[in-house]
Amino acid sequence: AQSVTQLGSHVSVSEGALVLLRCNYSSSVPPYLFWYVQYPNQGLQLLLKYTSAATLVKGINDFEAEFKKSETSFHLTKPSAHMSDAAEYFCALNAGNMLTFGGGTRLMVKP
Amino acid sequence: SQTIHQWPATLVQPVGSPLSLECTVEGTSNPNLYWYRQAAGRGLQLLFYSVGIGQISSEVPQNLSASRPQDRQFILSSKKLLLSDSGFYLCAWSVAGSTQYFGPGTRLTVL
């Protein structure tokens, strides 16, 4: 069975500070992993994806994530938070035709 | 390029009324199609998915149904809405079960 756990349903950072959103997964097969961002009343937008190539994946808006098999993790980072990064972030794992989502992390950015 | 449309964007319906939400995809053929729901304070719940015309799989038993009358059209319906059907409904597509791309969503309020 596959599962995704996002540690911290709410994360607050100051503008300019490092953003770290945590994601751990469980999968019986080599996973494809994704991070999506959702702004209020909008659909999910793909930030980045890991598909078994490079373990460090760069995405849009300076976000990146590192796949660590030994830690079963796929944490999302950004060096410097902007006010516009305030949104909900979802980690997801591909299992066949299906995505298994984590519960989401709401990122708040303080001025 | 591929685009996905959902309408209406917002809908307010009385309890017991019917529902029809539509999703269409452009720029791709034979996509997998998905309906998700986000209820307030909850994560993403997969409702239905389809791998082809007339092929619908239900993930959660409820008073909703889905149909796929054309290759790139996916419809979510209900004969009688319940208060608990309120939420944000998202349609998504993928090719060969890989990355899912989401539509803008429909906000449904049942009163």
Side-chain angles (χ1 to χ4, degrees):
Chain A
Q2 286 77 22
S3 67
V4 177
T5 302
Q6 290 184 239
L7 299 175
S9 59
H10 292 78
V11 170
S12 181
V13 301
S14 297
E15 191 173 19
L18 172 72
V19 175
L20 171 61
L21 304 182
R22 299 179 187 274
C23 173
N24 287 90
Y25 69 91
S26 173
S27 177
S28 55
V29 298
Y32 285 6
L33 293 159
F34 305 82
W35 275 101
Y36 288 88
V37 60
Q38 185 180 31
Y39 298 100
N41 290 311
Q42 295 186 27
L44 274 68
Q45 180 182 3
L46 181 68
L47 271 179
L48 50 81
K49 60 182 178 182
Y50 167 75
T51 56
S52 74
T55 57
L56 182 62
V57 182
K58 294 188 182 297
I60 61 172
N61 299 336
D62 295 327
F63 282 96
E64 63 181 35
E66 186 171 8
F67 173 72
K68 291 186 177 180
K69 183 178 179 180
S70 61
E71 298 177 8
T72 61
S73 68
F74 190 57
H75 301 331
L76 182 70
T77 61
K78 179 173 180 175
S80 176
H82 294 172
M83 297 297 292
S84 60
D85 294 326
E88 187 148 22
Y89 293 79
F90 291 93
C91 182
L93 179 154
N94 183 287
N97 282 326
M98 303 303 166
L99 283 181
T100 298
F101 284 91
T105 297
R106 184 166 299 279
L107 176 66
M108 294 165 284
V109 182
K110 299 176 292 185
Chain B
S1 64
Q2 300 87 359
T3 55
I4 179 169
H5 304 279
Q6 288 185 245
W7 62 88
T10 306
L11 191 60
V12 180
Q13 292 284 92
V15 169
S17 64
L19 173 73
S20 180
L21 303 182
E22 189 166 343
C23 170
T24 59
V25 180
E26 296 176 356
T28 187
S29 295
N30 196 31
N32 293 339
L33 296 172
Y34 308 82
W35 278 112
Y36 291 87
R37 177 171 61 199
Q38 276 182 303
R42 301 180 66 178
L44 285 149
Q45 180 186 33
L46 178 64
L47 301 175
F48 301 95
Y49 72 94
S50 171
V51 298
I53 295 174
Q55 301 178 62
I56 309 295
S57 295
S58 174
E59 292 294 302
V60 182
Q62 60 223 321
N63 69 321
L64 299 173
S65 62
S67 62
R68 185 170 177 173
Q70 300 180 42
D71 181 46
R72 288 169 289 179
Q73 184 185 31
F74 204 24
I75 296 172
L76 183 70
S77 303
S78 174
K79 292 183 179 178
K80 288 186 177 182
L81 283 168
L82 307 173
L83 286 174
S84 57
D85 292 323
S86 293
F88 193 53
Y89 288 82
L90 289 161
C91 182
W93 70 272
S94 73
V95 173
S98 60
T99 307
Q100 288 188 23
Y101 297 94
F102 287 78
T106 294
R107 172 74 60 192
L108 172 66
T109 303
V110 182
L111 301 175

